[in-house]
Amino acid sequence: ARASRKTGEKALQVHLDATVACSPSLAGDWVPTIAMVDLWFEDTPRKFGLNERQLDIVKRAAHRVAEELRDEQDNTVGQSEPLVWLIHGRPGTGKTHVIKALRDLFERVLRWAHRVEFQFAAYQATMACNIGGDTAHHAAGLNPFLQDPDGSVRMASMTNVAKRITKLRWLILDEVSTISAPFLSDLE
């Protein structure tokens, strides 16, 4: 099993390296393909030790990424409905393992940057730290210590927030059960 795992990881790395070497631009014009996503997914269960349920979630996310790549190729970006999922479970069920696998897909295969194309966030700082993300307040440009007269959380400069989230494609909120409905409204 270990040799098979090494072979799968090596195949993906060789494929990614060959794609970079053949890229017409060395300035970072990385064009991920559906084949790269599929190849990454083949090795995911072994690399991250995911169980069947975790793997199903990662598979759905990989399929969505492939759908988005297809939309980019067909110039139909933005025509499909936004994806809104809720992944929940008791402590220790492996939600963080799923997040780590998605980070690997986003960063290693798609070459996306955290806080640019994707954002991991959680309501509490300790939870955010556990997933290598930010607090939900910071991610949304909300200041929890300042409130408008109507009681809503004050937002940072709308222009600055808009500039920052323009390229954002995925927002993953960990421990969403800790987030109140009014805060989710402010986040929206």
Side-chain angles (χ1 to χ4, degrees), residues 64-144:
R64 178 57 185 228
V65 166
E67 182 182 317
E68 291 175 5
L69 292 174
R70 196 173 299 107
D71 288 349
E72 286 178 5
Q73 292 170 355
D74 298 341
N75 289 324
T76 58
V77 174
Q79 294 183 12
S80 60
E81 286 293 315
L83 179 65
V84 179
W85 281 348
L86 176 62
I87 303 169
H88 59 91
R90 291 183 292 203
T93 57
K95 298 176 298 290
T96 302
H97 293 299
V98 170
I99 289 173
K100 288 179 180 178
L102 293 177
R103 180 181 286 272
D104 186 67
L105 171 62
F106 295 159
E107 291 180 341
R108 191 162 65 101
V109 178
L110 302 174
R111 305 268 170 104
W112 288 353
H114 185 246
R115 298 182 189 96
V116 178
E117 289 92 357
F118 73 97
Q119 176 78 52
F120 289 156
Y123 188 70
Q124 296 178 346
T126 53
M127 293 179 208
C129 184
N130 287 340
I131 60 169
D134 295 308
T135 64
H137 292 88
H138 182 264
L142 299 171
N143 186 336

